[in-house]
Amino acid sequence: MVKIALCSPREEELRLLRQVFRAAVARESEEDAACESCHTPAELEEQLSQADRVDVVCLDVTVQGAVGTAERLRLRHGQALLVLTADNTISPLQYIRPTILAAALLLRPLEEKAAAETAEQVLLALRQRQDEGAAFVFNVSGETMRLPYGEILYFESREKRVFVRTRNREYGFYDTLEHLEQSLPEEFQRCHKSYIVHLTCLRGVNLSKSTLSLVDDIQLPVSRTYKPAMKAWKAGNK
């Protein structure tokens, strides 16, 4: 499932964007497209605050507050591809910046051909990223799921299953931490018999209390076996 979020105060533009992205997804893959739309940046942030991931975000940056929204979305959904809609009422200096990193730009008035070409290019970039292995692929109840590695906080083994945790939810699937240790990228580290942590999410290591501090005040245990690895990480990130 390709998850797409659209934000514009103009209903006609939303209809056009829904049309071209759904068509592009249908042409490029066998997956379905889930398109959610809203009219204000505040609504977009509220909508995505409960989302575990989003693949593509289309945002009209001419609306007041939209640039700040784009920057916050980049922090929370670092793997999302941002497509910005703009016109001559806003300077490019406002939205072409490293804190946003837009994947594409649509200039108003939107034309169907240009919008369709942009949608295809964005979907192609998304496919290339997935093919390069930038996402964790697993199966939940017969459905193949993809989670960008950047959105994963940790893996936990419990109840004879493995649970992968993001900021907003968790998914359970059948596997073992021993197998995941061999297949995950090097930024994932075993810290306990029941946990593998994403090192980029670490905010602190307290070896005397045998705990790790992650984003959102999440605490994970560290067992004696894995303290040397955590000590080495701490020494290298002072």
Side-chain angles (χ1 to χ4, degrees):
M1 180 72 71
V2 179
K3 296 187 177 182
I4 303 169
L6 311 173
C7 181
S8 172
R10 308 184 185 204
E11 190 60 40
E12 183 177 349
E13 289 186 357
L14 288 176
R15 284 196 296 269
L16 174 60
L17 291 170
R18 281 194 294 268
Q19 174 186 324
V20 298
F21 271 100
R22 282 174 174 162
V25 171
R27 284 192 298 270
E28 294 294 327
S29 75
E30 298 179 355
E31 296 185 70
D32 294 326
C35 287
E36 299 288 342
S37 59
C38 58
H39 296 94
T40 69
E43 290 174 342
L44 178 64
E45 290 197 62
E46 175 63 24
Q47 176 180 302
L48 294 183
S49 68
Q50 304 303 316
D52 58 298
R53 70 176 177 87
V54 61
D55 298 306
V56 179
V57 178
C58 296
L59 174 62
D60 183 348
V61 288
T62 66
V63 180
Q64 184 175 1
V67 171
T69 291
E71 291 180 314
R72 288 187 289 275
L73 290 180
R74 174 56 65 213
L75 289 173
R76 178 170 285 274
H77 297 283
Q79 299 296 317
L81 295 173
L82 294 181
V83 179
L84 305 182
T85 302
D87 54 33
N88 59 11
T89 65
I90 182 173
S91 168
L93 296 177
Q94 295 296 309
Y95 54 82
I96 299 178
R97 53 177 70 180
T99 52
I100 293 178
L101 294 175
L105 175 65
L106 288 170
L107 294 177
R108 197 175 281 121
L110 298 191
E111 296 181 356
E112 182 175 350
K113 181 179 179 181
E117 289 176 351
T118 296
E120 288 187 1
Q121 291 169 1
V122 169
L123 264 295
L124 177 60
L126 181 64
R127 291 285 167 259
Q128 289 175 338
R129 175 183 292 177
Q130 292 173 345
D131 291 343
E132 290 168 358
F136 177 65
V137 181
F138 58 106
N139 188 281
V140 177
S141 301
E143 180 182 358
T144 299
M145 306 287 294
R146 291 178 179 270
L147 276 182
Y149 286 121
E151 296 180 12
I152 297 173
L153 301 182
Y154 62 85
F155 293 87
E156 178 185 2
S157 175
R158 70 175 192 271
E159 302 167 2
K160 298 182 179 181
R161 289 194 294 169
V162 172
F163 292 82
V164 55
R165 170 72 184 272
T166 70
R167 277 182 149 173
N168 297 308
R169 63 179 297 179
E170 68 176 14
Y171 301 88
F173 58 98
Y174 290 99
D175 207 330
T176 66
L177 293 189
E178 287 72 23
H179 174 255
L180 291 179
E181 275 189 287
Q182 304 301 316
S183 57
L184 288 170
E186 61 182 10
E187 62 264 27
F188 288 87
Q189 170 66 49
R190 188 81 172 260
C191 63
H192 187 274
K193 68 177 183 179
S194 300
Y195 293 92
I196 293 176
V197 66
H198 192 176
L199 294 174
T200 62
C201 299
L202 275 181
R203 296 296 180 265
V205 176
N206 190 327
L207 295 176
S208 63
K209 293 185 178 181
S210 299
T211 58
L212 304 178
S213 299
L214 281 68
V215 295
D216 298 337
D217 296 322
I218 294 172
Q219 301 287 313
L220 294 184
V222 181
S223 64
R224 181 180 301 176
T225 302
Y226 301 102
K227 276 188 176 182
M230 292 296 96
K231 184 177 181 179
W233 180 90
K234 183 178 181 179
N237 288 272
K238 287 185 176 180

